[in-house]
Amino acid sequence: MSTILVIAEEKNHQIRNATLEVVTAAAGLAASHGGRVAVLLLSSAAVDGASLAACGADRLLAAVDPRLAVYHPDLFKQIVLKAVAMTGADALFFSATSMGRDLAPRVAAALSAPCLADCTEVTMQDGTLTATKPLFAGKVLGRFILNGDKKVVSLRAGVFSIMERRPSAEVAFEPLPVPDSAFPLQATPTPASDVGRVDVGDADVVVTGGRGLRSAENFALVEELADALGGAVGATRAVVDSGWRPHREQVGQTGKVVSPDLYFMIGASGSIQHWAGMSGSRCIVAINKDSNAPIFQRADYGLIGDLFEIVPALTAELKKRSA
Ligand SMILES: Cc1cc2nc3c(=O)[nH]c(=O)nc-3n(C[C@H](O)[C@H](O)[C@H](O)COP(=O)(O)OP(=O)(O)OC[C@H]3O[C@@H](n4cnc5c(N)ncnc54)[C@H](O)[C@@H]3O)c2cc1C
């Protein structure tokens, strides 16, 4: 493998942790098997690339244009393909974020390259890129060999650690012109209410509420606990299907995959489909009134009792301690 191209993402003009994880993983492979790491950033405004260089990027490309404020699949794909041509990359690494999951297969199709999404391990064996990903809601791990001139993978966020291999490295961004193409598809900005909230996929602490909350209004309890912990709010599918919370907060097989340091489950049973999205959490705390709820077989800490008593008491105690 000669060059790995990492597709970087920023939020509020800061490189996302999910991207730094991918750069670290790519740099690890490049260091042990020879090769270079190039990073492409698509952004609406200039962003400091020091963290990318520190994590091991040898080359930085930046496509900066106000039109890149909103993810546009066709425009972003065109820019990535330009970067592939510029760098001669033979492997493309994305983060398995909402954007990465959408963009990676589009780019792979354009390159006629194999694509493996949501990988939890990437290695080189005898010069061949091998990647592992959970299958069947995490019941088994599949190991795949990616053949071909070019390979595309996306890495699950929160699984790979961030390591600053070269803390004082300085690499300047090379500008990559944004094409002036017109596309039939129009991308619309994220609603204002979403802006500024910690995304459930990026948060170190996630507080998820389940059907046991009984109503959308009762989610105020979950929000207050999340605020007290500086975390994000998550939801089960039962909650999202009931219209109590938006789909962007859903965790699980058909929602987001998260790996926070701390994951609270409040009034949620712990179905296998939900587990598929949060099994990588470092510490799981469950609050449920049913001592036989499946989540108690897997949680690190379990509180058996009524959430309407436990959660307000917990939030009040946390607020008292931080006052
Ligand atoms: C193909 C497929 C994909 C799916 N994808 C997802 C997915 O991505 N994410 C997901 O979450 N689900 C997913 N599901 C749905 C999943 O199977 C479950 O139905 C869902 O996770 C259950 O949500 P829940 O835990 O909120 O509800 P329930 O299973 O109904 O659990 C509610 C829990 O609340 C507890 N409770 C009730 N009242 C209180 C109280 N006062 N105090 C404390 N505890 C209380 C109960 O004891 C119970 O354990 C999927 C299903 C399928 C078939």
Side-chain angles (χ1 to χ4, degrees), residues 235-317:
T236 64
R237 178 163 160 179
V239 162
V240 172
D241 285 352
S242 303
W244 300 348
R245 300 300 293 187
H247 182 262
R248 64 175 179 277
E249 291 179 0
Q250 184 180 316
V251 174
Q253 187 183 334
T254 44
K256 288 189 177 156
V257 176
V258 302
S259 314
D261 293 333
L262 181 59
Y263 191 86
F264 265 87
M265 278 183 75
I266 299 171
S269 55
S271 65
I272 186 73
Q273 293 88 359
H274 190 78
W275 180 251
M278 41 64 75
S279 59
S281 306
R282 285 169 194 89
C283 179
I284 299 168
V285 180
I287 301 171
N288 198 304
K289 67 177 182 184
D290 176 7
S291 60
N292 292 317
I295 191 57
F296 285 135
Q297 289 165 20
R298 294 168 154 165
D300 297 287
Y301 298 94
L303 289 162
I304 301 166
D306 187 346
L307 71 90
F308 294 100
E309 290 171 15
I310 296 172
V311 177
L314 192 58
T315 306
E317 186 60 30

Side-chain angles (χ1 to χ4, degrees), residues 29-178:
L29 279 185
S32 51
H33 298 279
R36 285 163 58 79
V37 177
V39 176
L40 166 66
L41 177 70
L42 302 100
S43 171
S44 60
V47 173
D48 185 359
S51 56
L52 296 168
C55 287
D58 301 296
R59 187 175 179 190
L60 299 179
L61 304 176
V64 179
D65 189 290
R67 284 174 294 158
L68 303 180
V70 181
Y71 169 59
H72 188 296
D74 296 323
L75 180 58
F76 276 50
K77 182 180 76 179
Q78 262 196 8
I79 297 169
V80 173
L81 293 175
K82 270 181 108 174
V84 173
M86 268 175 85
T87 56
D90 45 10
L92 279 80
F93 283 20
F94 293 76
S95 179
T97 54
S98 307
M99 184 187 101
R101 282 165 184 259
D102 187 80
L103 187 55
R106 290 174 190 271
V107 171
L111 294 170
S112 299
C115 179
L116 199 65
D118 203 25
C119 301
T120 51
E121 196 184 350
V122 275
T123 54
M124 287 288 288
Q125 281 173 10
D126 304 325
T128 308
L129 184 66
T130 306
T132 303
K133 67 169 281 175
L135 300 166
F136 302 108
K139 288 198 193 80
V140 290
L141 291 176
R143 235 175 72 216
F144 296 83
I145 293 169
L146 288 102
N147 290 314
D149 296 342
K150 302 205 186 296
K151 304 109 189 153
V152 178
V153 293
S154 65
L155 308 191
R156 181 178 284 197
V159 171
F160 297 83
S161 43
I162 298 171
M163 199 170 92
E164 297 208 336
R165 292 164 188 276
R166 302 186 296 224
S168 49
E170 284 181 26
V171 183
F173 274 114
E174 298 167 44
L176 194 154
V178 177

